[in-house]
Amino acid sequence: MSADPTTPGPAPEHVDVLVIGAGLSGLGAAAQLREHHPGRSLAVLEARDVSGGTWDLFRYPGIRSDSDMFTFGYRWRPWVGDTALADGASILDYVRTVARERGVDRLVRYGHRVVSADWDSASARWRVRVDRGGEELTLTAGFVHCCSGYYDYESGHTPELPGIERYDGEVVHPQHWPEDLDHAGKRVVVIGSGATAITLVPALAADAKHVTMLQRSPTYVLSRPGRDPVAKVLDRLPARLAFPVVRWKNILQAVAFYQVARRRPGVVKRLIRSGVAAQLPPEVDVDTHFRPSYDPWDQRLCFVPDGDLFRAIRSGGASVVTDTIDTFTERGIRLASGQELEADVVVTATGLRLLPFGGIALSVDGEPVTLSETMAYKALMLSGVPNFVYTIGYTNASWTLKADLVSEYVARLLRHLDERGARSVVPVREPGVGERPFMDFQSGYVLRALDRLPRQGDRAPWMLKQNYLTDVRTIRRDRIDDGVLRFT
Ligand SMILES: Cc1cc2nc3c(=O)[nH]c(=O)nc-3n(C[C@H](O)[C@H](O)[C@H](O)COP(=O)(O)OP(=O)(O)OC[C@H]3O[C@@H](n4cnc5c(N)ncnc54)[C@H](O)[C@@H]3O)c2cc1C
């Protein structure tokens, strides 16, 4: 479909701001831009044929948030009711309803996968190449806000599974849950112990003959109320009054818990352990199955609503095995200990494949950007990459807390460009700032990708704090013109 490069074609379409991705972040960003910059032209490019991102893609039984919805919902659009951990369908409905209310659903161009973006300093524009169902399009944009999530939509992470070809049962990955999979009355083994495995086990146990969660090593699991007690009490107040109270209560609670966990890990470990032990029958060995070797928040903690995982174990519908796989057999899995787990269905809840910036090849004046050579500025821009902001949410709190701050920042930054009469802004790396890995986080999907990610610095504004209260200051309040950003 490529045109003759020697004949000048029509000029590509230009938009002032291009948002990439129509998930929770992209739709929220577009809504903020509509509100604060109604005069700017705006388009949202979405690779898939539908909006909602994560909350449309994942369809496994029990899919839900493990953040509370008062902080996972947008700051500017209350989450109504007292449901704290909501199911996937309700989250998808919330995101799409908000997009409709704000009129940004009409700005989304579906089936548009951004392949590359090249910044041209002379025209102060991004030249963006898009794959639309095999056809190549180009458009230009003054500013790009990348909201492409953090993982590969095509496939999840599956480690090598020895002997898998011999296995006669069904193998599914939660990222591609077959609509017609019937697990009722069957023996299911869920491999993994992350948020997905922990969500799946009680949901499957409701109909399965038995569900075994097979983990190599344990994860911290905490029970929290599925309904927010304070939201329940404030139920009679209008949402605009009750919502900020519940939201701030949850923000402060989460920040405090994280800080205590990092400073006094021993205390928090003991508290978590006793909470788990109290909910399990005495024959379950808490230390083998629920006491990780790492400290709380070295990896993401898993929250279960009203202890549903523990309830499933108590009822006998589910159990946990901590061991490694020796080999798959025709009928199931043989473990290193010699134990055999018979299974009709095996679910590989073994994680995601991290994909920075939606796999988009970035370049500046034709020079490819090597992400690992860039440094993240306020965890929302990249050194040396002009007019480009990205949203990657927190790992220790609700994603949306950060996404909202980033969208606000984009609005401020564009206003600042207007006020200065500047057309471009770029963070310029400072000499003497030490390099650190992008994330101080031990989860497998992060460790597997660290060498493909930008670096963070050892001081502000290059350091990623993972702390909403600090970010409220540095992203919402601090001066835009901080001497690190260069305006042209
Ligand atoms: C199962 C699961 C549960 C989760 N639960 C929580 C939770 O409880 N709390 C929490 O804080 N976080 C949670 N997360 C993290 C979650 O992904 C985010 O909270 C949030 O949904 C991310 O929204 P997003 O819009 O940034 O990204 P996504 O939801 O991933 O959406 C990104 C969009 O960008 C599109 N896109 C990607 N690349 C391109 C491209 N090159 N061109 C065009 N479009 C592109 C995608 O198709 C997609 O629609 C969960 C993640 C998963 C996988």
Coordinates of all heavy atoms in Angstrom, one line a residue, residues 405-438:
L405 N -2.7 12.5 37.9 CA -1.7 13.5 38.1 C -1.0 13.8 36.7 O -0.7 15.0 36.4 CB -0.7 13.1 39.1 CG -1.1 13.2 40.6 CD1 0.1 12.6 41.4 CD2 -1.4 14.6 41.0
V406 N -0.7 12.8 36.0 CA 0.0 13.0 34.7 C -0.9 13.8 33.7 O -0.4 14.7 33.1 CB 0.4 11.6 34.1 CG1 1.1 11.8 32.7 CG2 1.4 10.9 35.0
S407 N -2.2 13.5 33.7 CA -3.1 14.2 32.8 C -3.1 15.7 33.2 O -3.2 16.6 32.4 CB -4.5 13.6 32.9 OG -4.4 12.3 32.4
E408 N -3.2 15.9 34.5 CA -3.2 17.3 35.0 C -1.9 18.0 34.5 O -1.9 19.2 34.1 CB -3.2 17.4 36.5 CG -4.5 17.2 37.1 CD -4.4 17.2 38.7 OE1 -3.6 18.0 39.2 OE2 -5.1 16.3 39.3
Y409 N -0.8 17.3 34.6 CA 0.5 17.9 34.3 C 0.5 18.2 32.8 O 1.0 19.3 32.4 CB 1.6 16.9 34.6 CG 3.0 17.4 34.4 CD1 3.6 18.2 35.4 CD2 3.7 17.2 33.3 CE1 4.8 18.8 35.3 CE2 5.0 17.7 33.1 CZ 5.5 18.5 34.1 OH 6.8 19.1 33.9
V410 N 0.0 17.4 32.0 CA -0.1 17.7 30.5 C -0.8 19.0 30.3 O -0.4 19.8 29.5 CB -0.7 16.5 29.7 CG1 -1.0 16.9 28.3 CG2 0.2 15.3 29.8
A411 N -1.9 19.1 31.0 CA -2.7 20.3 30.8 C -1.9 21.6 31.2 O -1.9 22.6 30.5 CB -4.0 20.2 31.6
R412 N -1.2 21.4 32.4 CA -0.4 22.6 32.8 C 0.7 22.9 31.9 O 1.1 24.0 31.6 CB 0.2 22.3 34.2 CG -0.7 22.4 35.4 CD 0.0 22.0 36.6 NE 1.1 22.9 37.1 CZ 2.1 22.6 37.8 NH1 2.3 21.4 38.1 NH2 3.0 23.5 38.1
L413 N 1.4 21.8 31.4 CA 2.5 22.0 30.5 C 2.1 22.7 29.2 O 2.8 23.6 28.7 CB 3.1 20.6 30.2 CG 4.4 20.5 29.5 CD1 5.5 21.2 30.4 CD2 4.9 19.0 29.4
L414 N 1.0 22.3 28.7 CA 0.5 22.9 27.4 C 0.2 24.4 27.7 O 0.5 25.2 26.8 CB -0.8 22.2 26.9 CG -0.5 20.7 26.4 CD1 -1.8 20.1 26.0 CD2 0.4 20.7 25.2
R415 N -0.4 24.7 28.8 CA -0.7 26.1 29.2 C 0.6 26.9 29.3 O 0.7 28.0 28.8 CB -1.5 26.1 30.5 CG -2.5 27.3 30.6 CD -3.3 27.2 31.8 NE -4.0 26.0 31.9 CZ -4.0 25.1 33.0 NH1 -3.3 25.4 34.1 NH2 -4.7 24.0 33.0
H416 N 1.6 26.2 29.9 CA 2.9 26.9 30.0 C 3.5 27.2 28.7 O 4.1 28.3 28.4 CB 3.8 26.0 30.9 CG 5.1 26.8 31.3 ND1 5.1 27.6 32.4 CD2 6.3 26.8 30.8 CE1 6.3 28.1 32.5 NE2 7.1 27.6 31.6
L417 N 3.4 26.2 27.8 CA 4.0 26.4 26.4 C 3.3 27.6 25.8 O 3.9 28.5 25.2 CB 3.7 25.2 25.6 CG 4.7 24.0 25.8 CD1 4.1 22.7 25.2 CD2 6.1 24.2 25.3
D418 N 2.0 27.7 25.9 CA 1.2 28.8 25.4 C 1.7 30.1 26.0 O 2.0 31.1 25.2 CB -0.3 28.7 25.7 CG -1.0 27.6 24.9 OD1 -0.3 27.1 24.0 OD2 -2.1 27.2 25.3
E419 N 1.8 30.2 27.3 CA 2.2 31.4 27.9 C 3.6 31.9 27.5 O 3.8 33.1 27.4 CB 2.2 31.2 29.5 CG 0.8 31.2 30.0 CD 0.7 30.6 31.4 OE1 1.8 30.4 32.1 OE2 -0.4 30.3 31.8
R420 N 4.5 30.9 27.3 CA 5.9 31.3 26.9 C 6.0 31.5 25.4 O 7.0 31.9 24.9 CB 6.8 30.2 27.2 CG 7.2 30.1 28.6 CD 8.1 28.9 28.8 NE 9.5 29.3 28.3 CZ 10.5 29.3 29.1 NH1 10.5 29.0 30.4 NH2 11.7 29.7 28.6
G421 N 4.9 31.1 24.6 CA 5.0 31.2 23.2 C 6.0 30.1 22.7 O 6.6 30.3 21.6
A422 N 6.2 29.1 23.4 CA 7.1 28.0 23.0 C 6.4 26.9 22.3 O 5.2 26.7 22.5 CB 7.8 27.4 24.2
R423 N 7.1 26.1 21.5 CA 6.4 25.0 20.8 C 6.9 23.7 21.2 O 6.2 22.7 21.0 CB 6.7 25.2 19.3 CG 6.0 26.4 18.7 CD 6.3 26.5 17.2 NE 5.5 25.5 16.5 CZ 5.7 25.3 15.2 NH1 6.7 25.9 14.5 NH2 5.0 24.4 14.6
S424 N 8.0 23.7 21.9 CA 8.5 22.4 22.4 C 9.1 22.4 23.7 O 9.6 23.5 24.1 CB 9.4 21.7 21.3 OG 10.7 22.3 21.4
V425 N 9.1 21.3 24.4 CA 9.7 21.2 25.7 C 10.3 19.8 25.9 O 9.8 18.8 25.5 CB 8.6 21.4 26.8 CG1 7.4 20.5 26.6 CG2 9.2 21.2 28.2
V426 N 11.5 19.8 26.4 CA 12.3 18.6 26.6 C 13.0 18.5 27.9 O 13.7 19.5 28.2 CB 13.2 18.3 25.3 CG1 14.3 19.4 25.2 CG2 13.8 16.9 25.4
P427 N 13.0 17.4 28.6 CA 13.8 17.3 29.8 C 15.3 17.1 29.4 O 15.5 16.2 28.5 CB 13.3 16.1 30.6 CG 12.0 15.7 29.9 CD 12.1 16.3 28.5
V428 N 16.2 17.9 29.9 CA 17.6 17.7 29.5 C 18.3 17.1 30.7 O 18.3 17.6 31.8 CB 18.2 19.1 29.2 CG1 19.7 18.9 28.8 CG2 17.4 19.7 28.0
R429 N 19.0 16.0 30.4 CA 19.7 15.3 31.5 C 20.8 16.1 32.1 O 21.5 16.8 31.4 CB 20.3 14.0 30.8 CG 20.1 12.8 31.7 CD 20.4 11.6 30.9 NE 21.1 10.7 31.8 CZ 21.2 9.5 31.7 NH1 20.7 8.9 30.6 NH2 21.8 8.7 32.6
E430 N 20.9 16.0 33.4 CA 21.9 16.8 34.2 C 23.1 16.0 34.5 O 23.0 14.8 34.9 CB 21.3 17.3 35.5 CG 20.1 18.2 35.3 CD 19.3 18.3 36.7 OE1 18.8 17.4 37.2 OE2 19.4 19.5 37.2
P431 N 24.3 16.6 34.4 CA 25.5 15.8 34.7 C 25.5 15.5 36.2 O 25.0 16.3 37.0 CB 26.6 16.8 34.3 CG 26.0 18.1 34.1 CD 24.6 17.9 33.9
G432 N 26.1 14.4 36.6 CA 26.2 14.1 38.0 C 25.0 13.4 38.6 O 25.1 13.0 39.8
V433 N 23.9 13.2 37.9 CA 22.8 12.5 38.4 C 23.1 11.0 38.2 O 23.2 10.5 37.1 CB 21.5 12.9 37.7 CG1 20.3 12.1 38.3 CG2 21.2 14.4 37.9
G434 N 23.1 10.3 39.3 CA 23.4 8.8 39.3 C 22.2 8.1 38.7 O 21.1 8.5 38.8
E435 N 22.5 6.9 38.1 CA 21.5 6.1 37.4 C 21.0 5.0 38.3 O 21.8 4.4 39.1 CB 22.0 5.4 36.2 CG 22.0 6.3 35.0 CD 22.4 5.5 33.7 OE1 22.4 4.3 33.7 OE2 22.6 6.2 32.7
R436 N 19.7 4.7 38.3 CA 19.1 3.6 39.0 C 18.2 2.9 38.1 O 17.7 3.4 37.1 CB 18.3 4.1 40.2 CG 19.2 4.7 41.3 CD 18.3 4.9 42.4 NE 19.1 5.4 43.6 CZ 18.5 5.7 44.7 NH1 17.2 5.7 44.8 NH2 19.3 6.2 45.7
P437 N 17.9 1.6 38.4 CA 16.9 0.9 37.6 C 15.6 1.6 37.6 O 15.3 2.3 38.6 CB 16.8 -0.5 38.2 CG 17.9 -0.6 39.1 CD 18.4 0.8 39.5
F438 N 14.8 1.5 36.5 CA 13.5 2.2 36.4 C 12.6 2.0 37.6 O 12.0 2.9 38.1 CB 12.8 1.8 35.1 CG 11.6 2.6 34.8 CD1 11.6 4.0 34.6 CD2 10.4 2.0 34.6 CE1 10.5 4.7 34.3 CE2 9.2 2.7 34.3 CZ 9.3 4.1 34.1

